[in-house]
């Protein structure tokens, strides 16, 4: 058991340090955090004024994506992505339920980690934002005109979709990598036969530049390591993608010990351009698969789910020169590429130093075939040959590195609970600031692109303990905003977050806000159950299904009296919001509904199913205070016994 001792010793030290950080001297964040006296002014956004940046924070185990303004830290919206959202009916309405379909059936929750904004020429362009579903592997695309999830594609042959969703610099591909290796294809086999038999898939999803539509171009089937994080090459390294791995030991149990044995794991360097060319020339093997592709139709505002039945796989050995391993100490987590595309940083969780690889040296080593062995036939480059530099002992437990526009890098340290600023190229540590507490990712607007906007750094912290008023055993997680325009980082603000914000992405507000949709045009609404005029409104029985074609406008429903519904019916309320003004949604709720309310924005039609269980006269009402007569916005459904012969009828203001 000697192998376990070093690790346990390390973790004991680590635990001790976390304890220290939570001690008295760090309680307030003042003094040590260098809280500037005018910090309040610098985050203050006056009433009616707008923030300078949109920040999109992953929701972690909430499965959503939340939108914040920076520098105020004001939460603007929770965008539902992978989880049902009773606030507006996402995942509950008939139109949105198909978005959450998977090969495992309806999966109304996920764990979302890494949002990434679309780019053109390596610069944020504000068209779309992508995010991964980690648990049931999926990638979602959110349109930043509508601020709505418009597409979700499931990833077959993947498990723990974690090294995702990162995009190439012209949004050619969204990339998704498996964290857990699994049998590919899945099969019933002993777990202890993992080694050599389980595989990891790295999936390249192409993106249509007009519509944003995603499709899996190919899956690279890699050795059975854990593929933890990834980043695209950019500028000079455009065409490559880099993935950190851990568990190159291929352990299948007690990974905290057994996957911490190797002195170095790898960063996998993937020349995707080469593989793309191979695939375009007919390379790769189409294999059976079963995965959902869910798309929101822009005219009917209704999602469809299609099950796809095959996927193109590529064996890396079939594309010589496309895949290499870069030895990287020691169980690296983050895999970050600087804005020039030259430096690839592996954040070795258990390593004392930060290792930086050089892209130029990597190409040189490849050209001169300077290999240091191979793993499953994939060449391993020599560590020394590709080393650009080392940041010496910057902190404990490095997780992620982000970049500003002045050649500086900012690495987060989970264990020593700090952010360390260092100089790219000289590897010299320039500044360190404590965070409260245990930071995961950091984020600089555009920090994962060729053009960062280096004004703010946001620390995305896991633990808050004493930072806010206590709320019982379950506390919020938290973000901290630093001003990074000077030599030293200055802490300005704490603000709580929704769920666990792993990564985040931010963009200047000007790049999005003028394009933001205000209404859906009624004239473009092609929903089959839309009711625009009085003569469109009706109630139709099809066996036990009752379809109500209803509309709403300040401040009534049409119809608002409905009779002839029976116990045992399934009632579909198809409701069209006739408003064509900005910010006039109406809500809909009916007593005893087993799902949610729905919030219908101007010009849309949405559908909620209600299954009345009891005889009576049951009210429905608008849930959003929409006008002075909002409280009058209500109606009744008469529900008769199952064997009743009362005919369907509907009316508005008629006796
Ligand atoms: Cu480090 Cu999922 Cu990117 Cu969390 S991951 S922190
Ligand atoms: Cu419509 Cu309240």
């Amino acid at each position: 058991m000697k192998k376990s001792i070093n690790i346990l010793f390390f973790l004991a030290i680590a635990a001790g340090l976390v304890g220290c950080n939570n001690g008295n001297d760090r309680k307030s964040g003042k003094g040590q955090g260098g809280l500037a006296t005018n910090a309040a002014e610098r985050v203050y956004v006056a009433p009616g004024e707008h923030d300078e940046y949109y920040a999109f924070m992953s929701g972690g185990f909430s499965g959503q994506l939340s939108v914040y303004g920076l520098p105020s830290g004001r939460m603007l919206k929770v965008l539902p992505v992978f989880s049902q959202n009773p606030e507006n009916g996402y995942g509950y309405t008939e139109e949105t339920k198909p978005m959450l379909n998977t090969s495992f059936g309806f999966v109304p929750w996920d764990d979302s980690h890494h949002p990434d904004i679309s780019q053109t020429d390596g610069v944020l362009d504000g068209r779309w934002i992508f995010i991964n579903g980690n648990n049931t592997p999926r990638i979602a695309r959110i349109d930043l005109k509508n601020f709505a999830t418009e597409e979700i594609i499931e990833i077959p042959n993947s498990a723990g979709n974690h090294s995702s969703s990162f995009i190439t610099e012209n949004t050619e591909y969204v990339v998704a990598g498996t964290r857990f290796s699994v049998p590919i294809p899945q099969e019933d086999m002993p777990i202890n036969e993992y080694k050599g038999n389980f595989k990891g898939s790295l999936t390249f999803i192409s993106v249509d530049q007009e519509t944003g539509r995603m499709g899996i171009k190919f899956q690279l089937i890699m050795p059975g390591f854990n593929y933890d994080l990834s980043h695209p090459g950019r500028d000079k390294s455009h065409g490559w993608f880099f993935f950190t791995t851990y568990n190159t030991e291929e352990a299948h149990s007690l990974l905290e010990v057994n996957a911490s044995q190797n002195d170095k794991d790898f960063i996998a360097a993937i020349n995707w351009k080469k593989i793309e060319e191979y695939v375009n020339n007919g390379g790769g093997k189409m294999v059976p698969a079963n995965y959902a592709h869910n798309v929101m139709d822009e005219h009917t505002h209704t999602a469809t789910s299609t099950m796809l039945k095959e996927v193109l796989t590529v064996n890396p050995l079939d594309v010589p020169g496309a895949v290499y391993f870069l030895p990287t100490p020691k169980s690296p987590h983050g895999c970050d590429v600087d804005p020039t595309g030259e430096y690839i940083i592996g954040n070795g969780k258990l390593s004392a130093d930060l290792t930086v690889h050089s892209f130029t040296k990597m190409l040189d080593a490849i050209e001169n075939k300077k290999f240091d062995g191979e793993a499953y036939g994939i060449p391993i480059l020599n560590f020394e040959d590709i080393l650009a530099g080392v940041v010496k002992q910057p902190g404990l437990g490095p997780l992620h590195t982000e970049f500003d526009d002045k050649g500086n890098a900012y690495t987060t340290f989970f264990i020593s609970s700090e952010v360390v600023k260092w100089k790219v190229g000289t590897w010299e540590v320039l500044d360190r600031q404590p965070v409260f507490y245990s930071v995961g990712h950091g984020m600089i607007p555009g920090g994962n692109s060729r053009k960062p906007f280096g004004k703010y750094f946001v620390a995305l912290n896991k633990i808050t303990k004493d930072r806010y008023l206590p709320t019982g055993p379950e506390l919020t997680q938290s973000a901290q905003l630093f001003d990074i325009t000077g030599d030293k980082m200055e802490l300005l603000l704490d603000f709580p977050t929704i769920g666990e914000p792993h990564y985040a992405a931010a963009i200047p507000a000007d790049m999005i806000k003028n394009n933001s949709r205000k209404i859906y045009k009624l004239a473009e609404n092609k929903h089959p159950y839309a009711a625009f005029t009085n003569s469109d409104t009706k109630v139709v029985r099809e066996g036990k299904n009752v379809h109500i074609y209803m509309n709403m406008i300040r401040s009534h429903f049409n119809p608002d009296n409905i009779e002839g519904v029976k116990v045992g019916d399934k009632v579909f309320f198809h409701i069209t919001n006739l408003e064509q003004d900005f910010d006039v949604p109406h809500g809909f709720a009916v007593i005893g509904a087993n799902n949610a309310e729905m919030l219908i924005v101007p010009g849309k039609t949405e559908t909620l199913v209600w299954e009345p269980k009891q005889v009576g006269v049951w009210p429905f009402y608008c849930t959003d205070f929409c006008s002075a007569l909002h409280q009058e916005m209500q109606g009744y459904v008469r529900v008769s016994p199952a064997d009743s012969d009362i005919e369907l009828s509907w009316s508005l203001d008629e006796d």
Side-chain angles (χ1 to χ4, degrees):
M1 277 310 282
K2 179 142 187 288
K3 65 176 180 181
S4 62
I5 289 171
N6 288 337
I7 287 304
L8 293 178
F9 180 67
F10 180 89
L11 292 176
I13 294 181
L17 279 161
V18 169
C20 280
N21 287 343
N22 298 343
N24 286 338
D25 60 333
R26 294 217 173 161
K27 219 174 224 165
S28 67
K30 291 179 188 115
Q32 285 208 23
L35 195 63
T37 47
N38 63 348
E41 232 168 78
R42 285 146 74 188
V43 300
Y44 183 67
V45 178
E49 298 291 307
H50 290 169
D51 276 288
E52 190 180 349
Y53 292 92
Y54 283 103
F56 298 88
M57 316 274 231
S58 66
F61 42 74
S62 85
Q64 315 293 45
L65 181 67
S66 47
V67 187
Y68 286 76
L70 297 180
S72 73
R74 298 183 296 193
M75 203 268 278
L76 307 177
K77 189 178 198 320
V78 173
L79 286 170
V81 183
F82 296 111
S83 299
Q84 287 176 302
N85 189 31
E87 189 185 0
N88 66 359
Y90 176 88
Y92 292 101
T93 64
E94 296 305 293
E95 287 76 9
T96 54
K97 271 159 50 179
M99 288 305 280
L100 302 178
N101 189 42
T102 74
S103 64
F104 300 90
F106 181 71
V107 177
W109 171 84
D110 216 305
D111 180 17
S112 58
H113 285 223
H114 305 123
D116 208 6
I117 297 169
S118 58
Q119 297 184 11
T120 303
D121 293 330
V123 178
L124 302 186
D125 63 27
R127 288 178 291 170
W128 307 297
I129 186 165
F130 299 86
I131 191 166
N132 61 325
N134 200 48
N135 183 55
T136 303
R138 288 173 280 180
I139 299 288
R141 179 176 56 83
I142 293 109
D143 184 292
L144 289 178
K145 180 181 167 79
N146 300 329
F147 280 70
T149 304
E150 305 222 314
E151 186 177 5
I152 294 180
I153 192 165
E154 190 179 358
I155 314 295
N157 299 323
S158 178
N161 173 37
H162 193 261
S163 36
S164 326
S165 54
F166 298 104
I167 57 164
T168 56
E169 72 174 13
N170 292 300
T171 321
E172 297 97 332
Y173 293 100
V174 182
V175 174
T178 198
R179 175 158 146 231
F180 309 119
S181 280
V182 289
I184 296 180
Q186 272 290 4
E187 61 172 312
D188 174 15
M189 66 179 283
I191 297 169
N192 66 13
E193 291 176 14
Y194 179 119
K195 202 169 196 159
N197 292 316
F198 284 31
K199 298 275 185 262
S201 66
L202 307 179
T203 303
F204 285 70
I205 302 158
S206 61
V207 179
D208 183 283
Q209 296 304 305
E210 289 301 309
T211 61
R213 198 63 68 87
M214 298 185 284
I216 295 179
K217 177 91 171 176
F218 62 87
Q219 290 195 307
L220 191 61
I221 307 299
M222 296 284 287
F225 309 151
N226 290 42
Y227 296 84
D228 202 14
L229 276 139
S230 68
H231 264 78
R234 54 180 56 103
D235 203 350
K236 66 166 74 168
S237 52
H238 179 60
W240 290 77
F241 223 95
F242 304 95
F243 293 80
T244 40
T245 70
Y246 65 101
N247 193 24
T248 52
E249 296 86 349
E250 295 180 76
H252 57 84
S253 184
L254 195 63
L255 265 65
E256 64 170 322
V257 174
N258 295 323
S260 303
Q261 297 304 308
N262 289 348
D263 186 46
K264 296 190 177 65
D265 296 280
F266 301 125
I267 286 177
I270 312 292
N271 186 333
W272 58 261
K273 280 244 159 132
K274 205 165 213 154
I275 301 174
E276 180 185 61
E277 192 185 311
Y278 168 78
V279 163
N280 285 345
N281 288 321
K285 186 174 164 208
M286 205 54 103
V287 301
N290 186 34
Y291 61 104
H293 185 202
N294 310 329
V295 180
M296 182 60 71
D297 183 283
E298 62 172 318
H299 301 295
T300 62
H301 306 137
T302 301
T304 51
S305 179
T306 310
M307 295 309 296
L308 301 177
K309 296 297 180 189
E310 53 182 17
V311 69
L312 187 68
T313 57
V314 172
N315 178 343
L317 302 187
D318 292 340
V319 196
V323 181
Y324 298 92
F325 286 135
L326 283 46
T328 307
K330 186 170 174 151
S331 300
H333 184 58
C335 181
D336 299 295
V337 178
D338 86 309
T340 69
E342 168 64 10
Y343 298 112
I344 303 133
I345 291 106
N347 301 266
K349 301 191 292 284
L350 304 180
S351 167
D353 301 327
L354 268 186
T355 302
V356 184
H357 300 299
S358 157
F359 178 72
T360 309
K361 288 184 174 183
M362 181 192 93
L363 288 188
D364 191 63
I366 291 170
E367 189 166 338
N368 294 303
K369 299 208 160 34
K370 291 203 249 170
F371 302 138
D372 184 15
E374 43 117 311
Y376 293 102
I378 295 169
I380 301 171
L381 299 175
N382 189 322
F383 178 73
E384 299 293 338
D385 288 341
I386 56 171
L387 190 67
V390 171
V391 186
K392 290 264 190 248
Q393 309 210 318
L396 283 178
L399 290 187
H400 300 280
T401 300
E402 197 82 349
F403 304 90
D404 69 11
D405 50 352
K406 299 178 202 74
N408 301 308
Y410 301 75
T411 300
T412 55
F413 291 84
F414 180 84
I415 296 172
S416 53
S417 206
E418 60 189 334
V419 180
V420 174
K421 174 182 176 183
W422 51 275
K423 189 89 202 154
V424 177
T426 69
W427 327 119
E428 144 201 27
V429 170
L430 302 175
D431 186 25
R432 62 179 65 239
Q433 294 295 334
V435 289
F436 306 89
Y437 304 95
S438 295
V439 59
H441 280 265
M443 182 275 286
I444 291 171
N448 171 31
S449 76
R450 274 204 233 170
K451 190 183 165 204
F453 302 86
K455 186 165 179 187
Y456 298 112
F457 176 93
V458 180
L460 299 155
N461 303 332
K462 306 297 185 189
I463 296 170
T464 50
K465 289 190 186 283
D466 50 14
R467 299 297 286 185
Y468 302 103
L469 288 173
T471 52
E474 187 185 337
L475 300 174
T476 185
Q477 302 206 4
S478 180
Q480 290 189 291
L481 183 77
F482 290 85
D483 182 326
I484 55 167
T485 53
D487 288 343
K488 302 284 175 197
M489 297 174 267
E490 286 183 88
L491 177 62
L492 300 179
L493 183 71
D494 283 16
F495 57 97
T497 59
I498 305 281
E500 180 179 358
H502 288 264
Y503 198 29
I507 183 168
D510 287 342
M511 295 181 69
I512 293 187
K513 69 178 183 191
N514 298 328
N515 192 34
S516 188
R517 180 186 292 282
K518 293 193 163 66
I519 59 161
Y520 289 93
K521 290 200 182 108
L522 274 176
E524 291 168 7
N525 179 338
K526 299 279 180 278
H527 194 293
Y529 290 95
F532 303 110
T533 63
N534 198 32
S535 57
D536 294 337
T537 61
K538 59 188 171 183
V539 182
V540 177
R541 177 178 287 284
E542 290 169 5
K544 290 209 172 284
N545 291 345
V546 175
H547 292 277
I548 302 176
Y549 296 64
M550 184 184 274
N551 60 39
M552 58 192 350
I553 194 162
R554 279 163 288 182
S555 294
H556 62 269
F557 295 94
N558 182 13
D560 67 359
N561 280 198
I562 295 155
E563 302 199 0
V565 170
K566 299 178 217 175
V567 170
D569 282 346
K570 202 170 173 184
V571 180
F572 294 76
F573 287 93
H574 306 285
I575 311 181
T576 303
N577 183 344
L578 298 180
E579 306 284 354
Q580 292 285 269
D581 281 349
F582 190 26
D583 198 20
V584 192
H586 294 286
F588 173 81
V590 56
I591 192 169
N594 300 138
N595 30 40
E597 69 142 7
M598 56 180 175
L599 195 72
I600 307 163
V601 297
K604 265 196 178 185
T605 304
E606 305 232 39
T607 304
L608 201 74
V609 170
W610 181 58
E611 297 182 65
K613 309 261 180 351
Q614 298 175 32
V615 169
V617 178
W618 304 108
F620 55 87
Y621 71 101
C622 172
T623 46
D624 187 327
F625 209 110
C626 49
S627 77
L629 296 172
H630 155 80
Q631 289 298 78
E632 282 71 14
M633 196 164 170
Q634 64 171 57
Y636 287 104
V637 185
R638 174 180 172 187
V639 177
S640 305
D643 58 359
S644 155
D645 51 14
I646 293 178
E647 288 293 307
L648 277 178
S649 65
W650 59 93
S651 63
L652 171 69
D653 194 25
E654 243 175 48
D655 280 310

